[in-house]
């Protein structure tokens, strides 16, 4: 592609590719796709996106095409790879100027330079790093920023390479530029602090951006650039300096107004400081030992004392708590039970931790966590009133302990309590004892304190097993608190029922269950929605517990099921409906057939909910789970659900429908339990099997369930099913066997064996294309015993139940292999006798023995020659399937081959 003549053409097509008109856009995209492999195309793109006079959208598109081209064609081994000459020109052009005026394009250029560096730096691109180092020293603000941005993306990319040779190159790079990176960071940091003190906000904002970028570079170099960083004085000096800089930046945040343009960037920089420490601790725990004391002092000071008041913000608190948690939980800092087996580094770290976490420190942390961080905030209480469903979703939190304050505080409490439970148990019990009796409903703070303390007792349930008589506490106090119906007491009602849920699997007498069920039933009628949702959660935990007894629950089943159903109808958010559905599913699963009289209302409501949840696939997954348990509970009566059930299965297992990505696994399970509980094979059930061919083509982890479904159809109505689908099924199996694991191969063969079992006459004909490979597997001595066992099971059924077909198969194999029929038969019998020990199931051993015995009446000389071997394995098989009757002393058969 000639640069001069092509630039105008490419520019025009790129302009068309930015059009909103699809008639213009599509042809342009096709043309660009064709040019991707043309020599010179990327040189044209480089000229276009570095020409600042062109339209921003066109330049943006040019840089994106260039970046994508690097991924596809930059490596030497790639198809249509760029020539070395063009790559040399492109590398030089990319670092000629760092003066891109548009931030978004500058970021993309930095990323694409980093992508090239990942492949070529330093061997093919040794000048990259020196050029970047020189460029970040210039006085021009724009050029300095762009070079620093690129410097960051390059170091980030190179630090992510994991091969040993690449790691060594990054270590060498780090050692050569670390001093410069430190001085660069210190320079920009000092400049920012001076400018912010002088009140020069605009200049400070620019300096802060450079401080942030240079710190990002140092983070990657420090964490990934050294094998044993604690031996490097500059690294440890930088890490100690992080604490001082953090204090300076926190003080700055006190003086900067919330609406100031620097505020957001300042907080991001503060968080980045903490990430440096967290990453270093994660990657180099022993090198971090020298920082343990300072890290704990710093974090505890700002989070658990007055030192942080007016300074700290939520994300900073979260990071500090994560730092404490990682130190407390770090396995590298925990000595072995046998002290002599512990390394000196571990013992040193443990000594520092023990010296820091004294009784007063732990007591203050515990009390502060419970009475300050566990308290429901005004914002949370407002959300409770205005949007109760969102409040319950926020409270559950999910896997968010690293990012959200409440889950983070609770996880930190659990970890510290677990580590120091002997010290902290008396502290928490003292807090509990101080709250005995009912709380004044007018005293909101006292109610919130009790809520927080009960939360702590629930979180520490396993640690408090030997210290709390929960049964007595439940009877003497908690039960009474559940009965206080005043609206202001609802935080306690909610917390107490939650608390019981935490203890139910830890320590709760079975005899108290009926009293608890009574309390749950009452709370499911509470005026407050949050209380009812929390009660439903505890009910799920209760019926899920291994000590659950159905007979205790049955007197409450009808009323609770109806109340849960009413709750399901009342809630509106997808997450909440999913949660209530899971509770209902759990109840149905545990009581099984006992649910039948009460499910009518739910059965009528689920089709409506399914329709309403068209855009919410996760809710539909919950509906599928509920249907699975419903079908199992209803048994044969589930046929009344077919008008709704079968279309749901049809949609969930249709791989041409987008929702199958979410619904397939549960849809297959529902399909299977529907067949297992079906009294007969209806035309509608038969019709949905049309989905199976595409499912088998997927060869996914769901294949096992697919085979179970196929077997269910075979045993439910083999003739009708096989007449309609045997040909397609055989074709699918032939394709599957070409590329499938040994386990999958056995599953396919077991289906064929089941077909032969239920339909010995037509079965061999229907799956005739598969049988030659089975025959070959036997005479070739298949090396996997489990596969060989299945081969022999299939051939045994053919031989024993359809001797005529076996003769035809034998003739076919003799013709295909070019051998005499007797020779083929002799080889097969010899291998069969020799590999009989591969068959471990007694019923299969019996089948093989009977099959071979069926040959003995023949006068064929080959068979007569194998007489002794056949009789020998038949006697062995007889021993396997016969047992002595202890009363009569006679032997009787215990296994059937059918």
């Amino acid at each position: 592609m000639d640069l001069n003549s092509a630039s105008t053409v490419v520019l025009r097509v790129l302009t068309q590719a930015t059009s909103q008109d699809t008639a213009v856009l599509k042809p342009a995209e096709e043309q660009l796709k064709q040019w991707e492999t043309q020599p010179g195309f990327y040189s044209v793109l480089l000229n276009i996106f570095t020409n600042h006079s062109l339209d921003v959208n066109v330049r943006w598109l040019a840089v994106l095409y260039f970046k994508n081209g690097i991924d596809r064609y930059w490596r030497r081994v790639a198809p249509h790879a760029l020539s070395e000459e063009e790559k040399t020109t492109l590398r030089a052009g990319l670092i000629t100027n760092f003066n891109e005026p548009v931030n978004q394009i500058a970021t993309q250029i930095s990323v694409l330079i980093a992508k090239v560096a990942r492949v070529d730096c330093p061997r093919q691109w040794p000048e990259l790093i020196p050029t970047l180092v020189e460029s970040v020293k210039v006085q021009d603000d724009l050029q300095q920023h762009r070079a620093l941005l690129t410097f960051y993306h390059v170091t980030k990319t190179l630090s992510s390479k994991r091969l040993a040779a690449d790691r060594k190159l990054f270590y060498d790079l780090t050692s050569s530029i670390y001093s410069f990176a430190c001085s660069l960071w210190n320079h920009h940091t000092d400049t920012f602090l001076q400018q912010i003190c002088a009140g020069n906000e605009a200049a400070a904002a620019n300096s802060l951006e450079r401080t942030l970028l240079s710190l990002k570079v140092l983070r990657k170099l420090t964490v990934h650039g050294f094998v044993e960083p604690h031996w490097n004085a500059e690294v440890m000096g930088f890490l100690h300096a992080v604490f001082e800089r953090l204090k300076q930046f926190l003080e700055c945040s006190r003086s900067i107004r919330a609406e100031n343009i620097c505020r957001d960037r300042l907080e991001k920089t503060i968080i980045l400081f903490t990430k440096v420490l967290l990453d270093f601790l994660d990657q180099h725990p022993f090198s971090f030992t020298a920082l343990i004391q300072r890290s704990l002092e710093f974090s505890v000071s700002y989070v658990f004392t007055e030192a942080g008041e007016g300074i700290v913000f939520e994300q900073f608190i979260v990071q500090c708590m994560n730092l404490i948690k990682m130190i407390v939980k770090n396995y590298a800092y925990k000595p072995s039970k046998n002290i002599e087996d512990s390394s000196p580094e571990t013992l040193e770290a443990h000594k520092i931790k023990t010296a820091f976490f004294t009784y007063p420190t732990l007591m203050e942390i515990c009390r502060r966590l419970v009475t300050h961080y566990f308290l429901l905030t005004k914002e949370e209480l407002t959300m409770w009133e205005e949007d109760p469903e969102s409040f319950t979703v926020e409270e559950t939190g999910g896997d968010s302990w690293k990012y959200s304050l409440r889950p983070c505080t609770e996880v930190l409490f659990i970890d510290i309590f677990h580590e120091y439970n002997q010290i902290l148990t008396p502290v928490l019990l003292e807090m509990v004892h101080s709250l005995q009796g009912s709380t004044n409903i007018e005293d909101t703070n006292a109610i919130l304190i009790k809520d927080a303390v009960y939360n702590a007792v629930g979180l520490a349930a396993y640690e408090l097993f030997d210290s709390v008589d929960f049964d007595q506490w439940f009877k003497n106090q908690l039960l009474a608190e559940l009965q206080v119906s005043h609206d202001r007491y609802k935080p306690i009602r909610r917390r107490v029922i939650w608390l019981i849920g935490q203890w139910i699997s830890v320590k709760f007498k079975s005899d108290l269950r009926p009293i608890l069920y009574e309390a749950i039933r009452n709370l499911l009628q509470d005026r407050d929605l949050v209380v009812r949702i929390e009660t439903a959660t505890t009910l799920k935990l209760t019926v899920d517990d291994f000590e659950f007894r159905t007979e205790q629950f049955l007197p409450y089943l009808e009323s609770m099921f109806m109340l849960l159903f009413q709750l399901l109808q009342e809630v509106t958010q997808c997450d909440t409906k999913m949660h209530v559905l899971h509770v209902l599913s759990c109840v149905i699963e545990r009581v099984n057939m006992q649910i039948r009289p009460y499910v009518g209302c739910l059965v009528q409501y689920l089709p409506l909910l399914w329709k309403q949840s068209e855009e919410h696939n996760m809710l539909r997954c919950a509906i599928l789970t509920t249907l699975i348990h419903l079908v199992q509970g209803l048994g044969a009566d589930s046929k009344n659900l077919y008008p709704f059930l079968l279309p749901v299965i049809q949609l969930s297992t249709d791989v041409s429908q987008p929702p199958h990505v979410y619904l397939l696994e549960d849809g297959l399970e529902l399909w299977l339990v529907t067949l297992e509980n079906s009294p007969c094979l209806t035309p509608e059930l038969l019709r949905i099997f049309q989905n199976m061919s595409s499912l088998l083509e997927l060869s996914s982890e769901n294949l096992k369930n697919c085979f179970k479904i196929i077997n269910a159809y075979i045993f439910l109505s083999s003739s009708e099913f096989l007449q309609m689908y045997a040909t397609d099924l055989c074709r699918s199996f032939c394709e599957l066997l070409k590329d499938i694991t040994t386990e999958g191969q056995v599953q396919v063969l077991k289906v064929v064996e089941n077909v032969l079992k239920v339909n010995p006459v037509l079965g061999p004909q229907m799956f005739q294309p598969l049988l030659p490979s089975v025959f070959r597997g036997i005479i070739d001595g298949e090396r996997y015993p489990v596969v060989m066992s299945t081969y022999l099971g299939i051939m045994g059924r053919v031989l024993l139940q359809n001797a005529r077909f076996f003769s035809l198969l034998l003739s076919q194999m003799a013709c295909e292999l070019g051998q005499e029929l007797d020779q083929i038969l002799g080889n097969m019998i010899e291998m069969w006798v020799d590999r009989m020990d591969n068959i471990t199931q007694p019923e299969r051993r019996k089948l093989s023995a009977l099959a071979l015995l069926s040959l003995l009446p023949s006068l064929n000389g080959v068979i007569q020659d194998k007489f002794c071997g056949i009789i020998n394995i038949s006697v062995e098989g007889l021993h396997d399937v016969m047992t002595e009757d202890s009363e009569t002393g006679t032997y009787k058969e215990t296994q059937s081959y059918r």
Side-chain angles (χ1 to χ4, degrees):
M1 184 176 280
D2 179 66
L3 292 186
N4 295 326
S5 61
S7 292
T8 306
V9 179
V10 174
L11 180 59
R12 185 178 68 250
V13 176
L14 280 170
T15 305
Q16 292 169 348
T18 62
S19 172
Q20 300 298 313
D21 185 352
T22 54
V24 176
L25 172 66
K26 291 297 181 184
E29 288 180 336
E30 287 299 320
Q31 181 61 71
L32 289 168
K33 187 170 183 63
Q34 292 176 17
W35 284 339
E36 281 181 356
T37 56
Q38 290 294 311
F41 176 60
Y42 294 96
S43 298
V44 174
L45 291 178
L46 176 64
N47 289 341
I48 290 173
F49 70 70
T50 54
N51 186 344
H52 304 160
S53 64
L54 297 176
D55 180 74
V56 170
N57 293 324
V58 173
R59 295 173 57 229
W60 168 261
L61 195 59
V63 80
L64 289 183
Y65 268 94
F66 193 106
K67 188 176 73 170
N68 293 335
I70 293 170
D71 292 331
R72 294 171 187 158
Y73 310 115
W74 195 272
R75 293 184 183 275
R76 294 177 183 176
V77 295
H80 309 291
L82 276 72
S83 67
E84 291 302 315
E85 293 78 13
E86 184 172 5
K87 286 198 290 186
T88 301
T89 304
L90 292 173
R91 284 193 294 260
L94 285 171
I95 57 174
T96 300
N97 290 302
F98 296 99
N99 58 355
E100 172 55 52
V102 181
N103 287 332
Q104 293 88 339
I105 295 178
T107 301
Q108 292 301 321
I109 292 173
S110 297
V111 170
L112 69 84
I113 289 174
K115 284 179 176 288
V116 174
R118 185 177 185 87
V119 180
D120 290 352
C121 184
R123 293 187 178 93
Q124 284 79 40
W125 207 2
E127 65 273 17
L128 172 62
I129 299 299
T131 301
L132 290 173
V133 169
E134 290 304 314
S135 298
V136 297
K137 295 177 183 178
V138 300
Q139 296 303 309
D140 181 80
D141 283 350
L142 180 64
Q143 187 173 344
Q144 185 187 72
H145 178 271
R146 299 319 190 212
L148 192 51
L149 180 66
T150 306
F151 194 20
Y152 160 62
H153 281 287
V154 168
T155 52
K156 177 184 176 182
T157 300
L158 295 180
S159 70
S160 67
K161 299 178 77 173
R162 289 291 172 261
L163 293 178
D166 294 326
R167 303 299 310 139
K168 176 66 168 59
L169 287 173
F170 191 70
Y171 296 150
D172 294 341
L173 170 65
T174 301
S175 64
S176 67
I177 65 172
Y178 195 79
S179 294
F180 169 74
C182 284
S183 63
L184 186 70
W185 168 68
N186 275 315
H187 166 72
H188 288 306
T189 304
D190 289 335
T191 303
F192 163 73
L193 292 171
Q194 292 164 8
Q195 290 168 339
I196 206 72
C197 288
N200 189 347
E201 293 183 2
N206 288 332
S207 295
L208 183 57
E209 178 67 22
R210 286 155 179 72
T211 301
L212 186 60
L213 285 172
S214 56
L215 182 57
K216 286 181 176 180
V217 172
L218 263 181
R219 176 190 177 194
K220 296 300 177 183
L221 297 177
T222 303
V223 174
H224 301 289
F226 299 92
V227 180
E228 293 181 314
H230 56 284
W231 295 117
N232 188 295
E234 263 189 315
V235 171
M236 301 311 293
F238 162 67
L239 290 168
H240 280 289
V242 164
F243 294 101
E244 296 305 320
R245 293 302 197 185
L246 260 172
K247 290 178 182 178
Q248 293 173 334
F249 275 62
L250 285 166
E251 285 300 323
C252 278
S253 71
R254 188 201 298 269
S255 61
I256 296 177
R257 301 186 308 276
E259 66 276 9
N260 190 288
I261 57 174
C262 285
R263 181 76 190 202
D264 181 57
R265 280 289 178 191
L266 182 62
E267 290 188 356
K268 284 184 177 179
T269 307
I270 290 170
I271 294 304
L272 187 59
F273 279 124
T274 63
K275 287 180 178 179
V276 171
L277 297 172
L278 286 165
D279 288 355
F280 191 78
L281 171 57
D282 181 59
Q283 294 292 318
H284 306 285
F286 288 127
S287 295
F288 195 85
T289 301
L291 303 167
I292 292 176
Q293 178 78 19
R294 195 163 187 184
S295 298
L296 291 172
E297 288 174 351
F298 178 88
S299 300
V300 170
S301 171
Y302 277 101
V303 176
F304 295 110
T305 72
E306 290 73 21
E309 290 184 5
I311 298 178
V312 297
F313 51 97
E314 182 172 310
Q315 195 58 33
F316 174 72
I317 296 172
V318 168
Q319 293 293 92
C320 287
M321 287 186 174
N322 285 336
L323 188 57
I324 298 169
K325 185 188 83 69
M326 285 181 68
I327 293 172
V328 168
K329 281 191 70 176
N330 204 304
Y331 286 106
Y333 303 157
K334 293 184 178 182
S336 303
K337 289 184 179 180
N338 187 359
I339 296 297
E340 288 76 17
D341 295 336
S342 303
S343 68
E345 294 86 356
T346 297
L347 294 175
E348 176 65 19
H350 181 69
K351 180 181 176 183
I352 296 170
K353 276 174 56 181
T354 304
F356 179 82
F357 285 113
T358 60
Y359 174 78
T361 301
L362 287 168
M363 183 176 67
E364 183 59 31
I365 290 173
C366 180
R367 288 187 177 279
R368 186 85 171 175
L369 278 170
V370 175
T371 62
H372 179 72
Y373 289 107
F374 280 12
L375 292 183
L376 290 170
T377 64
K378 289 181 179 179
E379 292 79 10
E380 288 170 327
L381 292 171
T382 300
M383 182 185 286
W384 184 331
E385 295 297 331
E386 296 177 356
D387 191 358
E389 289 187 53
S390 294
F391 173 82
T392 59
V393 172
E394 286 284 324
E395 280 287 291
T396 52
D399 186 25
S400 60
W401 63 264
K402 287 185 179 179
Y403 314 107
S404 181
L405 182 57
R406 179 167 296 281
C408 182
T409 58
E410 292 179 351
V411 170
L412 177 61
F413 174 82
I414 292 168
D415 291 334
I416 288 183
F417 204 95
H418 174 75
E419 190 76 9
Y420 303 102
N421 64 84
Q422 291 185 336
I423 296 174
L424 292 177
T425 294
V427 177
L428 184 55
L429 292 181
E430 181 190 337
M431 297 170 76
V432 173
H433 292 147
S434 68
L435 298 171
Q436 290 297 322
S438 60
T439 303
N440 183 358
I441 58 174
E442 303 297 330
D443 190 344
T444 302
N445 188 59
I447 287 174
L448 295 180
I449 290 287
K450 177 176 277 192
D451 171 81
V453 172
Y454 283 5
N455 186 16
V457 175
L459 295 173
Y462 287 97
E463 309 297 336
L464 296 172
F465 179 86
D466 294 322
S467 304
V468 173
D469 187 342
F470 193 80
D471 297 327
Q472 287 299 317
W473 193 25
F474 170 73
K475 289 188 293 185
N476 297 339
Q477 176 159 345
L478 298 181
L479 195 57
E481 297 205 90
L482 289 177
Q483 294 165 356
V484 180
S485 59
H486 196 283
D487 187 61
R488 290 185 182 176
Y489 215 71
K490 64 188 180 185
I492 303 302
R493 292 198 301 278
R494 166 185 166 268
R495 183 58 70 188
V496 168
I497 199 63
W498 171 88
L499 174 63
I500 294 167
Q502 302 307 298
W503 276 84
I504 199 74
S505 60
V506 178
K507 196 176 190 179
F508 197 87
K509 280 186 180 176
S510 181
D511 295 345
L512 294 175
R513 296 279 175 127
I515 302 173
L516 174 58
Y517 294 145
E518 187 76 37
I520 288 174
R521 181 170 63 183
N522 293 335
L523 283 180
L524 284 173
Q525 302 171 70
D526 198 278
R527 292 192 302 271
D528 186 78
L529 182 59
V530 172
V531 174
R532 276 180 279 147
I533 293 171
E534 195 65 68
T535 303
T537 305
T538 295
L539 175 59
K540 181 179 183 296
L541 294 170
T542 305
V543 299
D544 252 350
D545 186 54
F546 70 94
E547 289 193 8
F548 173 78
R549 297 210 300 261
T550 306
E551 65 275 11
Q552 286 183 319
F553 185 68
L554 286 180
Y556 308 93
L557 175 58
E558 180 179 7
S559 55
M560 284 205 196
F561 194 85
M562 293 308 299
L563 290 166
L564 285 171
F565 175 66
Q566 291 169 14
L567 181 59
L568 177 63
Q569 289 180 300
E570 181 180 350
V571 296
T572 57
Q573 290 190 15
C574 179
D575 286 338
T576 325
K577 281 190 178 291
M578 283 171 53
H579 178 63
V580 179
L581 266 177
H582 282 137
V583 179
L584 280 164
S585 297
C586 188
V587 170
I588 295 168
E589 182 183 19
R590 294 312 298 264
V591 302
N592 205 355
M593 292 184 295
Q594 307 278 2
I595 199 65
R596 291 181 182 182
Y598 316 119
V599 296
C601 56
L602 182 62
V603 167
Q604 291 176 4
Y605 176 65
L606 285 179
L608 174 63
L609 184 59
W610 181 265
K611 187 175 181 180
Q612 292 173 342
S613 61
E614 191 171 354
E615 302 298 321
H616 303 284
N617 287 308
M618 298 313 294
L619 177 53
R620 285 194 161 185
C621 288
I623 295 172
L624 288 172
T625 303
T626 305
L627 286 171
I628 290 166
H629 298 313
L630 264 178
V631 170
Q632 290 170 328
L634 292 172
D637 291 342
S638 61
K639 66 180 182 297
N640 298 321
L641 293 177
Y642 284 4
F644 167 55
L645 196 62
L646 300 189
V648 166
I649 296 172
Q650 167 74 35
L651 174 69
S652 304
T653 59
D654 185 351
V655 297
S656 67
Q657 298 292 329
H660 89 273
V661 176
Y662 304 93
L663 308 179
L664 181 57
E665 185 175 349
D666 292 318
L668 286 172
E669 190 174 349
L670 178 59
W671 192 355
L672 179 60
V673 299
T674 300
L675 289 167
E676 290 172 342
N677 289 276
S678 178
C680 61
L681 188 59
T682 67
E684 293 79 15
L685 257 178
L686 198 56
R687 196 176 302 121
I688 61 175
F689 193 81
Q690 294 170 358
N691 287 354
M692 185 56 71
S693 293
S694 299
L695 290 168
L696 293 175
E697 288 174 12
L698 282 179
S699 298
S700 67
E701 65 277 3
N702 294 305
L703 268 181
K704 187 175 288 187
N705 265 346
C706 290
F707 292 132
K708 288 180 181 178
I709 289 167
I710 296 168
N711 283 323
Y713 274 101
I714 291 168
F715 291 125
L716 196 57
S717 180
S718 63
S719 299
E720 194 177 356
F721 168 68
L722 291 172
Q723 283 173 9
M724 186 175 292
Y725 292 110
T727 304
D728 291 341
L729 204 54
C730 186
R731 189 184 306 114
S732 295
F733 282 177
C734 288
E735 288 299 316
L736 265 178
L737 289 172
K738 293 177 182 176
D739 182 24
I740 197 171
T741 63
T742 302
E743 183 185 0
Q745 191 177 352
V746 171
Q747 294 294 331
V748 172
L749 295 171
K750 280 183 177 179
V751 173
V752 177
E753 190 176 11
N754 288 332
V755 171
L756 299 176
K757 184 186 296 185
V758 299
N759 203 324
V761 178
L762 295 177
Q765 297 172 19
M766 291 174 171
F767 285 89
Q768 192 277 333
L770 281 171
L771 294 178
S773 64
V774 173
F775 199 104
R776 283 193 208 93
I778 294 173
I779 61 175
D780 291 344
E782 164 63 45
R783 63 195 181 106
Y784 290 108
V786 65
V787 178
M788 187 62 161
S789 171
T790 316
Y791 281 164
L792 295 175
I794 290 172
M795 201 52 60
R797 290 196 178 277
V798 174
L799 175 56
L800 185 62
Q801 298 176 164
N802 198 330
R804 180 176 171 277
F805 187 88
F806 178 79
S807 298
L808 293 173
L809 178 62
L810 198 61
S811 300
Q812 177 188 343
M813 296 307 301
C815 182
E816 286 184 11
L817 297 174
Q819 297 179 14
E820 292 294 325
L821 191 145
D822 283 353
Q823 183 183 357
I824 289 283
L825 179 60
N827 291 343
M828 187 195 74
I829 296 173
E830 185 175 339
M831 188 59 70
W832 202 326
V833 170
D834 183 59
R835 298 293 292 275
M836 189 72 169
D837 287 341
N838 286 169
I839 307 175
T840 56
Q841 304 95 324
E843 68 276 9
R844 261 205 194 141
R845 292 176 68 84
K846 177 182 178 181
L847 171 68
S848 280
L850 289 172
L852 291 172
L853 284 170
S854 72
L855 294 170
L856 291 182
S858 169
L859 298 178
N860 187 305
V862 172
I863 295 174
Q864 298 301 319
D865 290 344
K866 308 297 182 186
F867 179 85
C868 291
I870 293 173
I871 292 298
N872 184 44
I873 64 168
S874 299
V875 172
E876 289 180 2
L878 191 63
H879 282 297
D880 290 335
V881 299
M882 301 293 283
T883 58
E884 185 178 4
D885 190 319
S886 58
E887 294 182 1
T888 63
T890 60
Y891 284 85
K892 61 182 181 180
E893 184 182 353
T894 60
Q895 296 291 338
S896 168
Y897 73 85
R898 293 192 179 278

